[in-house]
Amino acid sequence: RLQPGACRVMEAGSKVLGVPADHLLVATIAAAFGQVAGQDEVKLSLIVPMRDGKGEGQAVGNLANTRHLSLRVGGGRSLFSLTIELSGRLRRREWELCDVLGDDGDRVFLNVRGIPGFDGAKTVMEAVDTSRCPTKFVRNYIEMFADQESPDQWTLWMGIREDFDGSALARAMRRAIWGMAVSPLEPLPGGPV
């Protein structure tokens, strides 16, 4: 879980950078993963809601699909530039094709469900049962389900490959969340934590 203090820092970072909190969470995870894995480019697979195009007459409805994109996190890049690029690409829906012949085992798979905002209404989210294990086998480095239960709490369910250090990922995420709020223009730290 992201505790209330971390969520408040992330909300402050979201306001500083002008991006939605769920985009900021994805950027934080990508930055932390790139640091721990020592990768300059992070391949992301995201579950995204599909939207009706003009004239489709609500044919798509509530369906979702997996979309892929790569994000450069190394080379002295700042958290600010990383987050702004990711948020812009998510808003414009600029996806990449998945390389079906290549090994996608070095990918980060994310399903992020933030609380939707409605004018004049308060959204109530169902609490997530964290006692059950949603995945038993992980093909990617990380397979994560992130659910925002309240403005002050995100629940992260994740499966991590055995050869990846989950404690180092948690430390890197903590530093990335703090960095998003207090020093977004600083370069990302390099190398494993």
Side-chain angles (χ1 to χ4, degrees), residues 66-104:
T66 304
R67 298 293 185 203
H68 309 282
L69 60 93
S70 295
L71 192 63
R72 189 178 60 80
V73 297
R77 188 157 195 204
S78 71
L79 293 165
F80 176 78
S81 68
L82 165 82
T83 305
I84 296 301
E85 178 192 341
L86 176 68
S87 184
R89 289 175 68 188
L90 291 173
R91 291 173 198 220
R92 292 186 303 270
R93 306 177 79 73
E94 293 178 357
W95 313 119
E96 298 169 0
L97 295 175
C98 183
D99 179 11
V100 294
L101 299 177
D103 179 22
D104 282 338

Side-chain angles (χ1 to χ4, degrees), residues 108-131:
V108 176
F109 177 88
L110 299 170
N111 184 356
V112 179
R113 296 185 301 184
I115 295 176
F118 299 108
D119 291 335
K122 181 180 177 194
T123 307
V124 178
M125 297 299 283
E126 178 181 344
V128 176
D129 178 11
T130 57
S131 64

Side-chain angles (χ1 to χ4, degrees), residues 22-45:
D22 54 345
H23 293 190
L24 185 64
L25 181 62
V26 173
T28 300
I29 293 166
F33 173 78
Q35 183 182 8
V36 174
Q39 294 184 1
D40 284 340
E41 184 176 65
V42 175
K43 293 193 283 186
L44 298 169
S45 291

Side-chain angles (χ1 to χ4, degrees), residues 1-3 10 25 29 110-112 128 130 134 143-149 153-159 169 173 177:
R1 287 185 193 269
L2 283 182
Q3 298 300 321
M10 201 166 72
L25 181 62
I29 293 166
L110 299 170
N111 184 356
V112 179
V128 176
T130 57
E143 294 182 5
M144 180 184 295
F145 298 86
D147 294 294
Q148 187 177 17
E149 292 184 2
Q153 184 172 326
W154 282 86
T155 299
L156 310 176
W157 294 359
M158 67 180 85
L169 178 68
M173 282 183 65
I177 289 171

Side-chain angles (χ1 to χ4, degrees), residues 132-152:
R132 69 181 185 90
C133 181
T135 183
K136 302 240 187 273
F137 173 76
V138 179
R139 190 174 86 86
N140 300 295
Y141 265 113
I142 300 172
E143 294 182 5
M144 180 184 295
F145 298 86
D147 294 294
Q148 187 177 17
E149 292 184 2
S150 73
D152 285 340

